[in-house]
Amino acid sequence: MRKLINLIAVTGLISTANIVNAQQKLGHINSEEILMNLPEAKEAQVTLQTLGKQKQAYIDGIIKEYQTKAAAIQAKEKNFKRNKQRISY
């Protein structure tokens, strides 16, 4: 009787494990293809490109402003050095 109960328990555990394994399904999804076919993704791509161009233009403006200010400071520095040499003589 005890062997029968053990046999049923073991059989139940094995069949349960097989059922669990059978329910696991693996697959591959090409997410890039799916995203490229969605109209929202296309809109988002255009929006990102526009925003990127705007930010790049802003950064270019800041760089130009920096270069202008740096050139002005260097010019003032040269004048300051000339004036300092005149004063020290």
Side-chain angles (χ1 to χ4, degrees):
M1 183 71 174
R2 186 144 177 98
K3 289 182 180 182
L4 182 62
I5 292 174
N6 286 340
L7 181 65
I8 292 172
V10 169
T11 306
L13 289 174
I14 291 173
S15 64
T16 305
N18 286 336
I19 291 171
V20 170
N21 285 335
Q23 290 178 356
Q24 294 179 355
K25 295 182 181 181
L26 301 175
H28 176 73
I29 296 175
N30 189 351
S31 60
E32 184 176 339
E33 182 181 346
I34 292 171
L35 288 176
M36 288 300 135
N37 290 328
L38 290 175
E40 294 88 3
K42 292 177 183 177
E43 289 177 23
Q45 185 68 26
V46 170
T47 303
L48 282 174
Q49 288 175 350
T50 304
L51 183 62
K53 288 177 184 177
Q54 290 174 353
K55 295 298 180 183
Q56 187 62 45
Y58 176 73
I59 291 170
D60 291 342
I62 290 175
I63 290 171
K64 187 174 182 179
E65 180 183 353
Y66 168 77
Q67 290 171 342
T68 303
K69 288 182 179 183
I73 290 171
Q74 289 174 351
K76 286 181 181 181
E77 182 182 18
K78 288 179 184 177
N79 289 337
F80 178 74
K81 286 181 180 178
R82 279 190 225 142
N83 289 339
K84 187 176 178 183
Q85 288 175 352
R86 287 183 200 166
I87 294 172
S88 61
Y89 286 120

